[in-house]
Amino acid sequence: MAIRIHRHLLIPWRSLRRLASYSFLGESHMLNLTREQCCDRVQAAIHRATGDAVYSGPFAGMRMTSFARPYYLLGTYELELHPVLGELKGNYFDSIINVGAGDGYYAVGFASLLPRVKPIVVFELLPGPLGSIIEMAKRNGCAARIIPVSGRCGQVELNSATQYGDNLHLVFMDCEGDEKILLDPTAVPGLRYCHIIVELHEFIHKGITEEIRGRFSASHNITEVWSRPRTLADLPFTPDAADFTDELKPFYVQTIDENRPVDMPWFYMEPKA
């Protein structure tokens, strides 16, 4: 089964302009500015605050490419995982395996968060995102530590990457439902000794959350984390008053929304032995 296209690859920064045509703001709120003007004001305020680097969170300071999503720049992407990533900061891993790397936010972010780790093996089906990962890795001085792999990551590839021996691996997985196939410790026995963070796509494979829990409950301590809606309280900076009026505030919430079809869980699984 091929890894599916990541939903966040389909939502470019310019989509904020398209969102201006949506009806999440009632007309009664739009007293002075058009919706397009609101989008422009929000974009400009975010760029003034962030420049081209992540503003907050565990990857703060990481330099992004010019087309970075606003939630990447602000550091609010998947903020539910921030406590988990904070725990990892003090750990040592011999390698990181990133399955479904998208455009490299986590691959390059882990290079910064865990500077002693080499290599970071990056699996991504699409060639376009791999180019973005390489570009961003160069911008952050970690290209030599990242090994990009173009094409499908199957059980054979994951088994090779997670051979245990004396090595300790971190597996970070967001592969749009392929976790059902890949996270099988019978077919990939090295997984029993890996630290694993996985986003679970219950809306693709109903029951996958409990299925994965059943596969790993004997070998791992499992922490379950759920996504939640974004609010203004999640915005990591306070814009100038002129850019933070009542009619603009809903647009800030929209910029940090991740367009999830439903609330979704992650598992952070730590090996017991």
Side-chain angles (χ1 to χ4, degrees):
M1 179 184 293
I3 296 174
R4 297 173 178 84
I5 298 173
H6 293 260
R7 64 186 173 279
H8 53 268
L9 294 177
L10 302 176
I11 307 168
W13 173 268
R14 62 179 177 276
S15 66
L16 285 176
R17 288 182 176 271
R18 292 201 298 273
L19 287 169
S21 65
Y22 295 174
S23 59
F24 65 90
L25 280 178
E27 291 299 328
S28 62
H29 294 278
M30 303 307 296
L31 302 178
N32 301 309
L33 299 174
T34 67
R35 288 169 175 167
E36 183 173 350
Q37 287 171 328
C38 287
C39 289
D40 289 342
R41 291 280 289 273
V42 168
Q43 289 185 43
I46 291 172
H47 275 291
R48 283 195 298 272
T50 64
D52 67 348
V54 176
Y55 184 85
S56 67
F59 302 152
M62 179 172 68
R63 295 184 64 197
M64 300 297 296
T65 52
S66 59
F67 54 84
R69 312 294 189 267
Y71 41 70
Y72 288 165
L73 285 170
L74 291 171
T76 61
Y77 182 59
E78 297 185 346
L79 57 79
E80 297 89 345
L81 290 179
H82 287 184
V84 171
L85 298 179
E87 289 183 28
L88 292 178
K89 190 171 184 179
N91 290 3
Y92 175 79
F93 298 100
D94 293 283
S95 74
I96 296 172
I97 299 102
N98 186 186
V99 182
D103 45 12
Y105 182 77
Y106 280 108
V108 178
F110 279 128
S112 173
L113 186 71
L114 301 167
R116 295 184 297 166
V117 178
K118 178 181 180 181
I120 299 170
V121 182
V122 176
F123 290 95
E124 177 53 49
L125 180 64
L126 302 174
L130 278 179
S132 299
I133 294 170
I134 293 169
E135 178 186 349
M136 192 159 68
K138 290 178 179 177
R139 289 172 65 90
N140 288 275
C142 60
R145 297 167 54 205
I146 291 180
I147 300 176
V149 182
S150 179
R152 177 183 183 272
C153 177
Q155 290 179 343
V156 171
E157 291 80 8
L158 189 59
N159 189 56
S160 177
T162 58
Q163 291 296 317
Y164 180 55
D166 294 324
N167 295 326
L168 183 61
H169 307 290
L170 169 65
V171 176
F172 189 91
M173 186 175 292
D174 180 3
C175 50
E176 308 302 314
D178 279 0
E179 65 270 15
K180 181 179 178 66
I181 296 173
L182 294 176
L183 289 182
D184 182 347
T186 300
V188 188
L191 290 172
R192 294 190 179 97
Y193 309 100
C194 292
H195 289 243
I196 303 168
I197 301 173
V198 57
E199 185 174 51
L200 296 161
H201 296 79
E202 189 75 26
F203 69 96
I204 297 176
H205 297 297
K206 187 173 178 58
I208 188 63
T209 302
E210 293 310 313
E211 184 174 348
I212 297 299
R213 193 194 308 274
R215 294 178 188 178
F216 287 91
S217 59
S219 59
H220 286 69
N221 296 311
I222 301 175
T223 300
E224 186 172 342
V225 180
W226 278 85
S227 65
R228 61 168 177 78
R230 299 294 179 256
T231 70
L232 272 179
D234 296 319
L235 196 67
F237 78 107
T238 302
D240 294 338
D243 293 320
F244 207 49
T245 62
D246 287 343
E247 62 185 328
L248 290 174
K249 287 177 182 179
F251 285 87
Y252 284 98
V253 176
Q254 187 63 45
T255 65
I256 57 177
D257 182 77
E258 296 166 15
N259 298 284
R260 295 178 183 277
V262 294
D263 290 341
M264 297 173 64
W266 293 269
F267 277 173
Y268 172 40
M269 303 193 288
E270 301 175 84
K272 293 178 180 179

